[in-house]
Coordinates of all heavy atoms in Angstrom, one line a residue:
P1235 N 2.2 -10.5 -13.2 CA 2.8 -11.3 -12.1 C 4.3 -11.4 -12.1 O 4.9 -11.8 -11.1 CB 2.1 -12.6 -12.2 CG 1.6 -12.7 -13.6 CD 1.3 -11.3 -14.0
E1236 N 4.9 -11.2 -13.3 CA 6.4 -11.2 -13.4 C 7.0 -9.9 -12.9 O 8.1 -9.9 -12.4 CB 6.8 -11.4 -14.9 CG 6.3 -12.8 -15.4 CD 6.6 -12.9 -16.9 OE1 7.2 -12.0 -17.5 OE2 6.2 -13.9 -17.5
I1237 N 6.2 -8.8 -13.0 CA 6.7 -7.5 -12.6 C 6.4 -7.3 -11.1 O 7.3 -6.7 -10.4 CB 6.0 -6.4 -13.4 CG1 6.5 -6.4 -14.9 CG2 6.2 -5.0 -12.8 CD1 5.7 -5.5 -15.8
M1238 N 5.3 -7.9 -10.6 CA 5.0 -7.7 -9.1 C 4.4 -8.9 -8.5 O 3.6 -9.6 -9.1 CB 4.0 -6.5 -9.0 CG 3.7 -6.2 -7.5 SD 2.6 -4.8 -7.3 CE 2.4 -4.8 -5.5
N1239 N 5.0 -9.3 -7.4 CA 4.4 -10.4 -6.6 C 3.1 -10.0 -6.0 O 3.1 -9.1 -5.1 CB 5.4 -10.8 -5.5 CG 4.9 -12.0 -4.6 OD1 3.8 -12.4 -4.8 ND2 5.8 -12.4 -3.8
L1240 N 2.0 -10.6 -6.4 CA 0.7 -10.2 -6.0 C 0.1 -11.0 -4.8 O -1.1 -11.0 -4.6 CB -0.3 -10.1 -7.1 CG 0.0 -8.9 -8.1 CD1 -0.9 -9.1 -9.4 CD2 -0.2 -7.6 -7.4
S1241 N 1.0 -11.8 -4.2 CA 0.5 -12.5 -2.9 C 0.3 -11.4 -1.9 O 0.9 -10.3 -2.0 CB 1.6 -13.5 -2.5 OG 2.7 -12.8 -2.0
P1242 N -0.5 -11.6 -0.8 CA -0.6 -10.6 0.2 C 0.7 -10.2 0.8 O 0.9 -9.0 1.0 CB -1.5 -11.3 1.2 CG -2.3 -12.3 0.4 CD -1.4 -12.8 -0.6
K1243 N 1.6 -11.1 1.0 CA 2.9 -10.8 1.5 C 3.7 -9.9 0.5 O 4.4 -9.0 0.9 CB 3.7 -12.0 1.9 CG 5.1 -11.8 2.5 CD 5.8 -13.1 2.9 CE 7.2 -12.8 3.5 NZ 7.9 -14.0 3.8
G1244 N 3.7 -10.3 -0.7 CA 4.4 -9.6 -1.8 C 3.9 -8.2 -1.9 O 4.7 -7.3 -2.1
I1245 N 2.6 -8.0 -1.8 CA 2.0 -6.6 -1.9 C 2.5 -5.8 -0.7 O 2.9 -4.7 -0.8 CB 0.5 -6.7 -2.0 CG1 0.0 -7.3 -3.3 CG2 -0.1 -5.3 -1.8 CD1 -1.5 -7.6 -3.3
R1246 N 2.4 -6.4 0.5 CA 2.8 -5.7 1.7 C 4.2 -5.2 1.6 O 4.6 -4.1 2.0 CB 2.5 -6.5 2.9 CG 1.1 -6.7 3.3 CD 0.9 -7.3 4.7 NE 1.5 -8.6 4.8 CZ 2.6 -8.9 5.4 NH1 3.4 -8.0 5.8 NH2 3.0 -10.2 5.4
E1247 N 5.1 -6.1 1.2 CA 6.5 -5.8 1.2 C 6.8 -4.8 0.1 O 7.6 -3.9 0.3 CB 7.3 -7.1 1.0 CG 7.2 -8.0 2.2 CD 8.1 -9.3 2.0 OE1 8.4 -9.6 0.9 OE2 8.3 -10.0 3.1
K1248 N 6.3 -5.0 -1.1 CA 6.6 -4.0 -2.2 C 6.1 -2.6 -1.9 O 6.8 -1.6 -2.1 CB 5.9 -4.5 -3.5 CG 6.0 -3.6 -4.7 CD 7.5 -3.4 -5.1 CE 7.6 -2.5 -6.3 NZ 9.0 -2.2 -6.6
L1249 N 4.9 -2.5 -1.3 CA 4.3 -1.2 -1.0 C 4.6 -0.7 0.4 O 4.1 0.3 0.8 CB 2.8 -1.2 -1.3 CG 2.4 -1.5 -2.8 CD1 0.9 -1.5 -2.9 CD2 3.0 -0.5 -3.7
Q1250 N 5.3 -1.6 1.2 CA 5.7 -1.2 2.5 C 4.4 -0.8 3.4 O 4.4 0.3 4.0 CB 6.7 -0.1 2.5 CG 8.0 -0.5 1.8 CD 9.0 0.6 1.9 OE1 8.8 1.8 1.7 NE2 10.3 0.2 2.2
L1251 N 3.5 -1.7 3.4 CA 2.2 -1.4 4.0 C 2.1 -1.7 5.5 O 1.1 -1.3 6.2 CB 1.1 -2.2 3.3 CG 0.9 -1.9 1.9 CD1 -0.3 -2.8 1.3 CD2 0.6 -0.4 1.6
N1252 N 3.2 -2.3 6.1 CA 3.2 -2.5 7.5 C 3.7 -1.3 8.3 O 4.6 -1.5 9.2 CB 4.0 -3.8 7.8 CG 3.4 -5.0 7.3 OD1 3.8 -5.6 6.4 ND2 2.3 -5.5 8.0
K1253 N 3.1 -0.2 8.0 CA 3.5 1.1 8.7 C 2.2 1.8 9.1 O 1.2 1.6 8.5 CB 4.3 1.9 7.7 CG 5.7 1.4 7.3 CD 6.4 2.4 6.4 CE 7.8 1.9 6.0 NZ 8.5 2.8 5.2
P1254 N 2.3 2.7 10.1 CA 1.1 3.4 10.5 C 0.8 4.6 9.6 O 1.1 5.7 10.0 CB 1.5 3.9 12.0 CG 3.0 4.0 11.9 CD 3.5 2.9 11.0
I1255 N 0.3 4.3 8.4 CA 0.1 5.3 7.4 C -1.3 5.5 7.0 O -1.7 6.2 6.1 CB 0.9 4.8 6.1 CG1 0.4 3.4 5.7 CG2 2.4 4.9 6.4 CD1 1.0 3.0 4.3
Y1256 N -2.2 4.9 7.8 CA -3.6 4.8 7.3 C -4.6 5.9 7.7 O -5.5 6.2 6.9 CB -4.2 3.4 7.7 CG -3.4 2.3 7.0 CD1 -2.4 1.5 7.8 CD2 -3.5 2.0 5.7 CE1 -1.7 0.6 7.1 CE2 -2.7 1.1 5.0 CZ -1.8 0.3 5.8 OH -1.1 -0.6 5.2
E1257 N -4.3 6.5 8.8 CA -5.3 7.6 9.2 C -5.4 8.7 8.2 O -6.5 9.2 7.9 CB -4.8 8.2 10.6 CG -5.8 9.3 11.1 CD -5.3 10.0 12.3 OE1 -4.3 9.5 12.9 OE2 -6.0 10.9 12.8
Q1258 N -4.3 9.0 7.5 CA -4.3 10.1 6.5 C -5.0 9.7 5.2 O -5.3 10.6 4.4 CB -2.9 10.6 6.3 CG -2.0 9.5 5.7 CD -0.5 9.9 5.8 OE1 0.0 10.9 5.2 NE2 0.3 9.2 6.6
T1259 N -5.3 8.4 5.0 CA -6.0 8.0 3.8 C -7.5 8.1 3.9 O -8.2 8.0 2.9 CB -5.7 6.5 3.5 OG1 -6.3 5.7 4.5 CG2 -4.2 6.2 3.4
A1260 N -8.0 8.4 5.1 CA -9.4 8.2 5.4 C -10.3 9.3 4.8 O -11.5 9.1 4.7 CB -9.7 8.1 6.9
A1261 N -9.8 10.4 4.4 CA -10.6 11.4 3.7 C -9.9 11.9 2.5 O -8.7 11.9 2.3 CB -10.8 12.6 4.7
Y1262 N -10.7 12.4 1.5 CA -10.3 12.9 0.2 C -9.6 11.9 -0.7 O -8.8 12.2 -1.5 CB -9.3 14.1 0.5 CG -9.9 15.1 1.5 CD1 -9.2 15.3 2.7 CD2 -11.1 15.7 1.3 CE1 -9.8 16.1 3.7 CE2 -11.7 16.5 2.3 CZ -11.0 16.7 3.5 OH -11.5 17.6 4.5
G1263 N -10.1 10.7 -0.5 CA -9.7 9.6 -1.5 C -8.4 8.9 -1.1 O -7.4 9.5 -0.6
H1264 N -8.4 7.6 -1.4 CA -7.2 6.8 -1.2 C -6.2 6.9 -2.4 O -5.1 6.5 -2.3 CB -7.6 5.3 -0.9 CG -8.3 5.1 0.4 ND1 -7.7 4.4 1.4 CD2 -9.5 5.6 0.9 CE1 -8.5 4.4 2.5 NE2 -9.6 5.1 2.1
F1265 N -6.7 7.4 -3.5 CA -6.0 7.4 -4.7 C -5.8 8.8 -5.3 O -6.6 9.7 -5.0 CB -6.6 6.5 -5.8 CG -6.9 5.1 -5.3 CD1 -8.1 4.5 -5.3 CD2 -5.9 4.4 -4.6 CE1 -8.4 3.2 -4.9 CE2 -6.1 3.1 -4.1 CZ -7.3 2.5 -4.2
G1266 N -4.8 9.0 -6.1 CA -4.5 10.4 -6.6 C -3.9 11.3 -5.6 O -3.8 12.5 -5.8
R1267 N -3.3 10.7 -4.6 CA -2.6 11.4 -3.5 C -1.1 11.4 -3.8 O -0.6 10.8 -4.7 CB -2.9 10.8 -2.1 CG -4.4 10.6 -1.9 CD -5.1 11.9 -1.5 NE -4.7 12.4 -0.3 CZ -5.3 12.1 0.9 NH1 -6.2 11.1 1.0 NH2 -4.8 12.6 2.0
T1268 N -0.4 12.2 -3.0 CA 1.1 12.3 -3.2 C 1.8 11.3 -2.4 O 1.6 11.2 -1.2 CB 1.5 13.7 -2.8 OG1 0.8 14.7 -3.6 CG2 3.0 13.9 -3.1

C-alpha cells in the first residue's frame, strides 16, 4: 500500500483505466499481454 494506492480511484489513475481499452482484452487472456 506504500508503493501503490489500492483504492478504486488510485487503481484507475495509476493504470489509466478510464480509456476505451477493453474490447481487445476479451479474448486470449487479460494477462500476459503486451
Side-chain angles (χ1 to χ4, degrees):
E1236 298 173 3
I1237 291 172
M1238 182 177 179
N1239 178 356
L1240 289 172
S1241 70
K1243 182 179 179 181
I1245 294 171
R1246 287 192 297 101
E1247 291 180 346
K1248 175 63 178 175
L1249 298 180
Q1250 299 183 315
L1251 297 180
N1252 291 107
K1253 294 181 177 181
I1255 56 173
Y1256 296 105
E1257 182 183 356
Q1258 61 197 294
T1259 69
Y1262 314 116
H1264 291 246
F1265 307 128
R1267 308 286 290 275
T1268 301

